Amino acid sequence: MLTEPMSSAPLPCLADLQEPPPSSSGWLPMERAPLPGLDDEEGERLPTSLPPVVDAHVHVFPDRVFEAIWRWFDTHGWPIRYRLPASHVAQFLLSRGVHQIVALHYAHRPGMARSLNQFMAAVCADEPRIIGLATVLPGEADASRILDEAFSMGLQGVKMHCHVQCFAPDDPAMHEVYEACVRADRPLVMHAGREPKSTAYRCDTHALCSADRVARVLEAHPRLRLCVPHLGADEFDAYERLLERHDGLWLDTTMVAAGYFPVELPLRLLRCRPDRVLYGTDFPNLPYAWDREIKRLVTLGLPEEELAALLGQNALRLFAGTPPRGTSTA
Ligand SMILES: [Zn+2]
């Protein structure tokens, strides 16, 4: 389902603004990994003055997969501050005032997706405030059937990761994944931006990923609803143009709004299509406080309506099709 723009007023997109584009040259290369952990202060819970908050980018994995991922991060990424089992991940955030979370995972090898999707369905069965997404490996046998089974278990979208799963967005093997999403009217969250790259990945993320490739996907699958995490880092200008052109595209703020990587937050991307950007954190795989990103987002001076859309309403429209209870539709 596509949503209407929140206001009929002209939106401040790239072509309308005179300020220079934000620089992407300060992106901290993961070659210098492990990057430092921050000992920043964490809040006890979200302020009650905030509109309903949905964290649209939270990871849950079975314990052994989480432990393998954390070992990878220890060496090649950053120290993980919240080493919580999946059963505690959602409760940590929900007990601190987050209204709902979107839970993501991804398969690293063929043959993993079915059991991961069953695990995710079980996690969601225990807590209705979790919106769980499915995964599959592009090109693995039965890929579209794996997704159909996951949707029938109640999973509400798909998560893919070009870097970890080593595929290009316009890889022909992705066609059946896109078609499965369109057929079932489920959104796809796909890490299709080229950063943060790492030599520890089995593939060159700059060779695989580009906004141009994502544009080809959106053009070939006009009914696909696609969310690209990390505001499409680091091709912020190109993703701004894609947002202007494609009603099937969403972005999430994950880690780019936290001030951890030395890149300027591309504020225009948040404001260009305020109905198209979701708040997300990457919790629990963070090197800083769980609420660092939202603390920064609320100080940007966004209009109240745009902040409510960013922090929760856009995610619920994308994943659940409904605004949070107790709030009016923007
Ligand atoms: Zn993530």
Side-chain angles (χ1 to χ4, degrees), residues 57-59 104 106 159 161 191 229-230 254 281-283 285:
H57 194 128
V58 175
H59 287 290
L104 315 175
Y106 38 80
K159 160 74 177 183
H161 197 312
H191 187 143
H230 314 295
T254 299
T281 62
D282 248 340
F283 188 84
N285 295 341

Side-chain angles (χ1 to χ4, degrees), residues 27-222:
W27 193 269
L28 191 61
M30 297 269 280
E31 278 78 357
R32 280 191 251 153
L35 306 179
L38 304 185
D39 195 22
D40 52 341
E41 195 180 337
E42 61 174 40
E44 281 179 30
R45 56 177 295 120
L46 294 177
T48 52
S49 57
L50 285 183
V53 171
V54 178
D55 188 334
H57 194 128
V58 175
H59 287 290
V60 299
F61 287 96
D63 291 353
R64 285 175 57 189
V65 181
F66 246 156
E67 283 157 16
I69 290 171
W70 294 337
R71 278 196 301 275
W72 188 94
F73 270 95
D74 283 343
T75 309
H76 304 294
W78 46 80
I80 303 295
R81 179 147 158 185
Y82 301 96
R83 292 179 184 247
L84 298 172
S87 56
H88 293 189
V89 166
Q91 290 313 318
F92 183 100
L93 295 174
L94 296 170
S95 68
R96 284 162 176 77
V98 176
H99 276 236
Q100 284 185 251
I101 68 165
V102 180
L104 315 175
H105 61 178
Y106 38 80
H108 300 73
R109 294 189 309 274
M112 266 180 94
R114 273 198 171 95
S115 64
L116 280 177
N117 291 337
Q118 284 161 2
F119 172 82
M120 181 65 87
V123 167
C124 296
D126 289 342
E127 174 48 77
R129 290 173 292 177
I130 303 175
I131 297 168
L133 304 197
T135 193
V136 73
L137 201 69
E140 76 175 300
D142 273 352
S144 61
R145 189 179 304 180
I146 289 169
L147 291 180
D148 288 342
E149 287 169 10
F151 299 151
S152 70
M153 290 189 289
L155 300 187
Q156 290 176 256
V158 178
K159 160 74 177 183
M160 310 289 291
H161 197 312
C162 293
H163 300 192
V164 175
Q165 299 180 308
C166 284
F167 68 92
D170 55 350
D171 187 310
M174 279 300 291
H175 181 79
E176 69 176 319
V177 175
Y178 298 136
E179 288 303 301
C181 289
V182 167
R183 235 181 8 252
D185 194 22
R186 298 293 204 284
L188 170 66
V189 177
M190 180 165 70
H191 187 143
R194 57 192 192 177
E195 290 286 349
K197 69 175 177 184
S198 166
T199 51
Y201 289 127
R202 291 177 291 120
C203 48
D204 176 351
T205 62
H206 278 238
L208 281 183
C209 297
S210 71
D212 287 344
R213 288 182 190 267
V214 170
R216 285 201 280 279
V217 170
L218 292 167
E219 279 152 21
H221 302 274

Side-chain angles (χ1 to χ4, degrees), residues 268-291:
R268 287 189 325 220
L269 258 184
L270 302 187
R271 306 222 47 211
C272 173
R273 291 289 303 267
D275 56 332
R276 294 299 159 141
V277 184
L278 320 178
Y279 163 68
T281 62
D282 248 340
F283 188 84
N285 295 341
L286 298 176
Y288 48 69
W290 68 277
D291 55 347

